[in-house]
Amino acid sequence: MESIDDAAAGNWGGGGRLTVDLGALARNWRTLADRAGGAETAAAVKGDAYGIGLAEAVPALAKAGCRTYFVALPQEGIQLRTLAPAATIYVLNGLIPGTATLLAESALQPVLGSLAEIDEWAAYKAAGGDGRAALHVDTGMNRLGVTLDEAAGLADRAEALGLSLVMSHLACADQPDHPLNAAQLAAFGTAARFFPALPASLANSAGLHLSPDYHFDLVRPGIALYGGRFGDAFAALEPVVCAEARIVQVRQVGVGQSVGYGATQHVTRPSRIAILSAGYADGYHRQASSSDGAAGASAFLHGRRAPLVGRISMDLLAIDVTDIPEAQRGDHAELFGPNIPVDEVAAHAGTIGYELLTSLGKRYRRHYLGGA
């Protein structure tokens, strides 16, 4: 007799399923590489490759031609190193005290963003350490990075510090007309001139689309790779993730009756309500709920949209399938994907697509389509 564990790879699984199109991921990288012109195109794969799975994303990106990656944390870099032995890997969140030798052992390059980090790295190098590192210069975001004056003071120490890259980060690139973009570009141009022998990197997904002036030597897209929106002025690339939830029950609800916790929404016609086996424990945010006063997000099945009804709970949510008579128990409805953009759901939840992707729960049954 088949066990639940054995059947998990088939039709049992969880309440939700996640389809990740690694071919779309690779095509998105190639599209961005074409746009980058002569600049090298890296990939930001922090947050478990924006929630889609580092172990699956990196081989697909590597096969497409990507050779440089950015992670946030050392443990992400250590995992990535096993997947891409020859890749260049930068750790964006800098140098954790006492870890210089450990990073170097995995050929991970910390992005040094303060004088304290630089002093510790300099002591490691003076003691014979052979690791490499990047320098982060703050050009107006006021988050990480040394000041322009501090960068100028480090210009003649680049070789001794083993610097391989100078970089900064744009704060408002998703708003092309924001004046901070031009100000940061000018400031970073100054910083890059302090280190003429080093490659320079400024552009994220949106920055890559501002103008070639922002490209420098290396661009490092993130959300654009995964099909998310990276600014109102720019069209998203191919969707990579499709999240679906299974219908566990279809029920009749009479006029004036409420659906879900808090009785926040009442139906205004005799309705067929489908209950889906997914909720905020699966990363589908409660704020995307619907109520009498405000429509929430929608799902998609059998070629049509089905609006959410009432509050999203931990494991369940409700959709109105009155106009989709073929909807039945066992069907799967798209929560976001090619028909319901992830950023549309995020807008209903008062957040951004990044947060939905990186919040994907562990209960989805994942299926990966072919890579590059």
Side-chain angles (χ1 to χ4, degrees):
M1 180 176 178
E2 185 178 39
S3 71
I4 289 178
D5 287 342
D6 291 337
N11 293 325
W12 288 72
R17 64 187 183 192
L18 205 65
T19 303
V20 179
D21 188 344
L22 297 175
L25 176 70
R27 290 190 294 274
N28 286 347
W29 184 86
R30 293 193 189 101
T31 296
L32 294 167
D34 287 344
R35 188 175 185 92
E40 180 186 351
T41 301
V45 292
K46 57 188 180 175
D48 200 26
Y50 285 56
I52 74 169
L54 189 71
E56 292 77 19
V58 169
L61 289 166
K63 190 173 181 181
C66 185
R67 6 181 246 282
T68 301
Y69 300 87
F70 288 81
V71 296
L73 303 171
Q75 58 262 44
E76 295 175 327
I78 290 169
Q79 181 187 0
L80 199 162
R81 176 58 67 208
T82 67
L83 302 166
T88 300
I89 303 172
Y90 292 101
V91 180
L92 289 165
N93 285 17
L95 179 64
I96 298 172
T99 63
T101 299
L102 294 175
L103 289 170
E105 286 174 351
S106 293
L108 305 180
Q109 301 191 42
V111 179
L112 306 174
S114 70
L115 292 182
E117 290 184 344
I118 290 163
D119 287 345
E120 180 171 341
W121 187 256
Y124 153 77
K125 293 291 289 183
D130 61 356
R132 306 279 282 170
L135 177 67
H136 189 152
V137 181
D138 177 51
T139 54
M141 192 169 192
N142 286 305
R143 191 176 63 172
L144 295 174
V146 300
T147 68
L148 275 178
D149 287 343
E150 290 168 341
L154 296 167
D156 60 355
R157 299 175 60 192
E159 185 174 354
L161 290 169
L163 296 183
S164 61
L165 180 74
V166 59
M167 60 170 283
S168 190
H169 193 59
L170 293 164
C172 301
D174 57 340
Q175 305 168 61
D177 296 327
H178 199 289
L180 187 54
N181 292 326
Q184 287 194 263
L185 176 62
F188 187 65
T190 298
R193 286 191 290 274
F194 295 151
F195 304 92
L198 295 184
S201 177
L202 177 63
N204 54 8
S205 292
L208 199 162
H209 288 73
L210 288 178
S211 83
D213 293 340
Y214 291 79
H215 293 176
F216 290 90
D217 302 295
L218 176 74
V219 298
R220 45 182 207 277
I223 190 64
L225 290 169
Y226 307 98
R229 191 172 63 198
F230 46 95
D232 292 339
F234 312 117
L237 302 184
E238 287 188 58
V240 172
V241 178
C242 181
E244 299 173 287
R246 178 172 48 85
I247 295 177
V248 296
Q249 185 181 120
V250 179
R251 58 189 304 115
Q252 300 292 329
V253 178
V255 175
Q257 292 185 333
S258 64
V259 177
Y261 279 123
T264 58
Q265 186 166 11
H266 301 76
V267 302
T268 59
R269 60 176 178 171
S271 300
R272 294 179 75 238
I273 302 298
I275 310 301
L276 303 184
S277 184
Y280 57 76
D282 303 290
Y284 196 82
H285 290 209
R286 185 173 181 266
Q287 290 89 339
S289 299
S290 187
S291 68
D292 288 335
S298 297
F300 187 90
L301 70 165
H302 294 293
R304 280 153 287 177
R305 284 177 172 248
L308 266 65
V309 184
R311 282 185 185 166
I312 297 162
S313 54
M314 182 182 291
D315 312 298
L316 299 167
L317 59 90
I319 59 174
D320 187 341
V321 294
T322 308
D323 298 325
I324 309 176
E326 60 268 51
Q328 61 182 324
R329 173 176 171 264
D331 286 350
H332 280 78
E334 178 186 317
L335 301 176
F336 57 81
N339 301 291
I340 305 287
V342 63
D343 292 286
E344 177 185 317
V345 179
H348 282 290
T351 184
I352 54 178
Y354 299 69
E355 188 171 7
L356 284 187
L357 289 174
T358 57
S359 298
L360 291 170
K362 299 178 180 178
R363 303 192 298 182
Y364 291 99
R365 177 165 53 88
R366 294 187 173 219
H367 175 60
Y368 290 89
L369 303 181

